[in-house]
C-alpha cells in the first residue's frame, strides 16, 4: 500500500485502519489528526457507480465526537450553534453549524441528542473540542466536555438498509432520516443513525469501544458478501451531484 502520506504518531489510526489496509486502500487524507481513506483500486467514476448500485463500508472514524454531558449541556450546545435546539428530542440528529463570536463558521457537524443532558457533536475538520471547553469555562457551565472513545463507521448505498438490518435487526428499517436507535453488538449498545455523506441512503454506526473495530467491520463485511459490499469513501462526483456541502 502506497498512500503518498508519511504517517507518524501525530496522525491517529482508527479501529478500522487495519481493515482498509488489508483491502487495498491507496490513499489517505488527514481529518481531525486522524486517517481518512480517500481512494481504493477503483477509479472515482467506478466507485461512483458502485456506490449508486450496491453498498460500501466507509471508515469515517475521523469524525470525532465532542461530548457535552451534564445539567448545562443543552445551554452549551445552543451557545455553539445558531440552530434552534428547543424542539430537538433524544434520538434525533440535527445538522448544526458551529459558529464563533463573530458568526464565522467553525465547523458543520451533525449533532446527536443522546438524552436531555447528553449530546454528541460529530464534527468535520477543526478543533471544536477546544472551542467547547473554552465556552464552558468562560460561562461557568456545569457540563463535562470530552472526546469519547467513539468511532463512526458508515454503511452507504441502496443496499445499506439490507446490510444493516441483517446485522442489527429489522427494527433498523424503521429508523427515520436523521434519527437513530441503539442496537446491541457484542454486549455494547451502539448508536445506529440513518445518516451519511451521500444521497444513496445509508447509516452511520457509532462504535463506542475501539477494541471492537475489526469485529464490527468483519461482521458487516461477511454479511454483505451477497450484496457486493466493497470498501469505499466519500465520492466527490456523488457529493457534488447531490449538492452536499464540504466545509473543513
Amino acid at each position: 500500500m502506497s498512500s503518498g502520506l508519511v504517517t507518524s504518531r501525530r496522525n491517529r489510526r482508527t479501529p478500522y485502519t487495519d481493515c482498509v489496509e488489508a483491502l487495498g486502500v491507496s490513499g489517505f487524507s488527514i481529518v481531525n489528526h486522524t486517517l481518512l481513506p480517500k481512494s481504493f483500486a477503483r477509479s472515482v467514476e467506478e466507485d461512483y457507480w458502485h456506490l449508486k448500485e450496491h453498498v460500501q463500508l466507509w471508515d469515517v472514524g475521523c469524525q470525532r465526537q465532542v461530548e457535552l454531558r451534564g445539567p448545562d449541556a443543552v445551554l452549551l450546545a445552543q451557545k455553539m450553534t445558531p440552530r434552534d435546539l428547543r424542539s430537538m428530542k433524544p434520538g434525533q440528529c440535527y445538522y448544526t453549524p458551529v459558529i464563533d463570536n463573530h458568526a464565522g463558521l467553525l465547523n458543520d457537524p451533525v449533532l446527536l441528542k443522546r438524552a436531555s443532558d447528553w449530546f454528541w457533536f460529530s464534527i468535520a475538520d477543526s478543533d471544536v473540542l477546544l472551542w467547547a471547553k473554552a465556552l464552558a469555562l468562560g460561562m461557568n457551565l456545569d457540563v463535562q466536555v470530552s472526546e469519547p472513545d467513539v468511532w463512526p463507521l458508515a454503511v452507504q448505498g441502496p443496499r445499506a438498509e439490507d446490510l444493516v438490518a441483517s446485522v442489527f435487526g429489522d427494527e433498523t428499517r424503521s429508523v427515520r432520516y436523521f434519527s437513530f436507535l441503539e442496537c446491541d453488538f457484542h454486549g455494547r449498545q451502539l448508536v445506529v443513525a440513518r445518516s451519511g455523506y451521500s444521497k444513496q441512503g445509508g447509516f452511520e454506526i457509532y462504535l463506542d469501544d475501539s477494541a471492537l473495530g475489526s469485529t464490527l467491520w468483519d461482521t458487516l463485511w461477511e454479511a454483505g458478501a451477497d450484496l457486493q459490499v466493497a470498501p469505499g469513501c466519500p465520492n466527490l462526483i456523488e457529493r457534488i451531484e447531490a449538492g452536499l456541502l464540504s466545509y473543513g
Side-chain angles (χ1 to χ4, degrees):
M1 186 273 296
S2 177
S3 67
L5 177 70
V6 178
T7 60
S8 72
R9 293 187 65 83
R10 292 185 178 186
N11 303 324
R12 295 182 289 192
R13 296 169 66 86
T14 81
Y16 319 113
T17 302
D18 287 347
C19 299
V20 298
E21 287 179 338
L23 291 167
V25 64
S26 57
F28 288 102
S29 183
I30 299 294
V31 174
N32 292 317
H33 318 289
T34 305
L35 296 176
L36 170 66
K38 66 177 183 180
S39 60
F40 288 85
R42 299 181 303 273
S43 69
V44 175
E45 184 175 354
E46 290 169 334
D47 180 75
Y48 166 84
W49 286 113
H50 184 275
L51 175 60
K52 295 269 286 187
E53 296 170 356
H54 304 294
V55 61
Q56 297 182 354
L57 301 184
W58 295 0
D59 172 5
V60 289
C62 63
Q63 294 173 192
R64 307 307 302 135
Q65 308 306 297
V66 174
E67 180 175 270
L68 314 181
R69 198 162 188 178
D72 290 337
V74 67
L75 295 178
L76 178 55
Q78 187 62 84
K79 185 68 174 178
M80 293 170 65
T81 180
R83 180 161 186 181
D84 189 346
L85 304 180
R86 287 175 294 182
S87 62
M88 189 180 192
K89 297 178 174 58
Q92 288 187 311
C93 310
Y94 274 18
Y95 179 71
T96 50
V98 171
I99 60 173
D100 65 15
N101 54 310
H102 298 294
L105 187 63
L106 296 176
N107 204 282
D108 63 335
V110 172
L111 178 65
L112 294 83
K113 187 170 185 177
R114 301 294 314 276
S116 61
D117 60 351
W118 185 12
F119 295 84
W120 284 348
F121 281 95
S122 188
I123 64 172
D125 190 18
S126 65
D127 288 318
V128 175
L129 179 67
L130 302 180
W131 177 246
K133 283 179 175 286
L135 288 175
L137 179 63
M139 297 172 65
N140 195 30
L141 297 179
D142 186 5
V143 58
Q144 294 294 317
V145 180
S146 65
E147 181 182 298
D149 182 27
V150 175
W151 304 86
L153 176 64
V155 184
Q156 299 291 296
R159 303 303 303 276
E161 183 175 292
D162 293 332
L163 177 51
V164 169
S166 72
V167 173
F168 293 101
D170 282 334
E171 61 269 26
T172 56
R173 296 184 185 276
S174 63
V175 177
R176 300 180 65 180
Y177 184 61
F178 261 45
S179 297
F180 66 85
L181 52 71
E182 296 184 12
C183 299
D184 179 75
F185 184 78
H186 287 250
R188 310 289 300 186
Q189 291 297 305
L190 305 189
V191 167
V192 178
R194 192 180 287 272
S195 57
Y197 200 50
S198 82
K199 285 291 187 179
Q200 304 312 310
F203 294 81
E204 290 177 301
I205 302 163
Y206 290 76
L207 178 66
D208 65 355
D209 183 350
S210 55
L212 289 174
S214 294
T215 302
L216 176 60
W217 182 285
D218 291 343
T219 300
L220 289 162
W221 186 261
E222 293 167 8
D226 294 336
L227 303 175
Q228 298 189 49
V229 67
C233 54
N235 184 279
L236 294 181
I237 300 174
E238 196 275 343
R239 178 186 70 77
I240 294 170
E241 184 177 84
L244 294 173
L245 300 177
S246 177
Y247 179 84

